[in-house]
Amino acid sequence: MVLPLPPLLPCRFLRRKGRFLVEADVGPLHLPNSGRMAELLIPGAPCHYHPKPSPKTLGRMVLVESRGVLVGVDASLAEDLLEQLLSSGRFGALEALRREVRLEGKRLDFWARLSGEEAFLEAKNCNRVEGDLALFPDAPTKRGAWHLRLLARLARQGKRAYAVWMVQHPLAQAFALDPEDRGLLQAAQEAKEAGVELLAFRVRPSLTALHLENPLPWAT
């Protein structure tokens, strides 16, 4: 499966100016990713951005070159990739779909009817890879743990529930949750015991598209 990217232009990363703002050699760019990405956002690193001027930025950063490969840093594209999986029938026949469903004052990325069953899904982005191991998160995430606990509650009610990580790094050969984030690990264990499916897929970026590949094994 292939998710086309908008037209991209080259640039070089200079410095991070805020949670979602970076300075590049072409000017300020929106970075749709709250992760630290210290191993990717190195001064002088080649990057690629989609030019779309706004009052504060010249566009949004989409790709970074690291270790000789392209790495996707636009976390918002994880939802589009998961929608492609749903449309392909990966989880069953897609009969209905809604994005950004609000539950308990927060939101999950998708509600769907799959082969006659109600399902809830959350997409997560990952671009942190150490060696060939993809690790999530890049920074402690209370929000991620909350999502997993909500999915667990839905699964206990008989709903189908999925948490799906999109690893936008072609060097990833396996996936794991960072043991330093104990809250997330506990929430993931509770979710798994409740029947939530925890999945990770490798995504291979190019200058024109994101190529969705096979599921990654979970490291033990």
Side-chain angles (χ1 to χ4, degrees):
M1 281 171 281
V2 176
L3 179 68
L5 291 174
L8 301 178
L9 295 176
C11 65
R12 287 192 178 272
F13 171 80
L14 298 180
R15 65 188 65 86
R16 196 161 190 170
K17 299 185 68 176
R19 192 179 183 195
F20 299 107
L21 182 66
V22 300
E23 186 72 27
D25 59 350
V26 295
L29 297 173
H30 173 55
L31 176 65
N33 193 321
S34 61
R36 294 172 180 148
M37 297 182 288
E39 76 285 1
L40 299 175
L41 299 180
I42 299 171
C47 303
H48 302 269
Y49 74 103
H50 173 54
K52 189 176 181 181
S54 72
K56 293 185 178 180
T57 66
L58 297 177
R60 84 174 190 274
M61 185 178 290
V62 178
L63 303 173
V64 174
E65 296 184 32
S66 175
R67 296 165 59 186
V69 299
L70 292 170
V71 180
V73 294
D74 186 341
S76 68
L77 296 178
E79 292 179 36
D80 296 329
L81 289 162
L82 180 51
E83 185 168 354
Q84 276 210 343
L85 274 181
L86 284 161
S87 298
S88 76
R90 173 65 173 75
F91 303 103
L94 179 62
E95 299 165 355
L97 183 67
R98 292 203 307 266
R99 291 185 81 156
E100 298 194 5
V101 182
R102 295 201 66 83
L103 294 166
E104 300 182 15
K106 297 186 184 292
R107 71 167 181 83
L108 285 174
D109 288 327
F110 293 100
W111 168 91
R113 187 165 295 280
L114 302 169
S115 300
E117 296 182 286
E118 192 174 11
F120 293 86
L121 305 95
E122 180 69 16
K124 297 295 184 186
N125 182 75
C126 175
N127 47 27
R128 175 188 173 195
V129 173
E130 297 185 2
D132 60 5
L133 178 63
L135 282 168
F136 180 91
D138 189 24
T141 171
K142 291 182 179 179
R143 184 171 178 267
W146 185 91
H147 280 139
L148 290 174
R149 290 194 171 96
L150 174 57
L151 289 170
R153 290 194 291 275
L154 291 166
R156 294 187 192 103
Q157 295 169 16
K159 309 292 195 301
R160 293 172 64 179
Y162 301 84
V164 185
W165 283 264
M166 298 297 178
V167 181
Q168 294 191 55
H169 200 308
L171 299 183
Q173 298 298 321
F175 177 83
L177 298 179
D178 189 341
E180 294 296 319
D181 194 332
R182 297 183 181 277
L184 183 67
L185 277 181
Q186 182 178 352
Q189 183 61 37
E190 293 172 8
K192 188 175 181 180
E193 291 172 356
V196 180
E197 287 200 47
L198 308 179
L199 302 167
F201 290 82
R202 183 173 58 211
V203 178
R204 187 178 300 275
S206 73
L207 292 176
T208 57
L210 298 180
H211 304 262
L212 185 56
E213 299 186 335
N214 292 330
L216 288 168
W218 283 64
T220 56

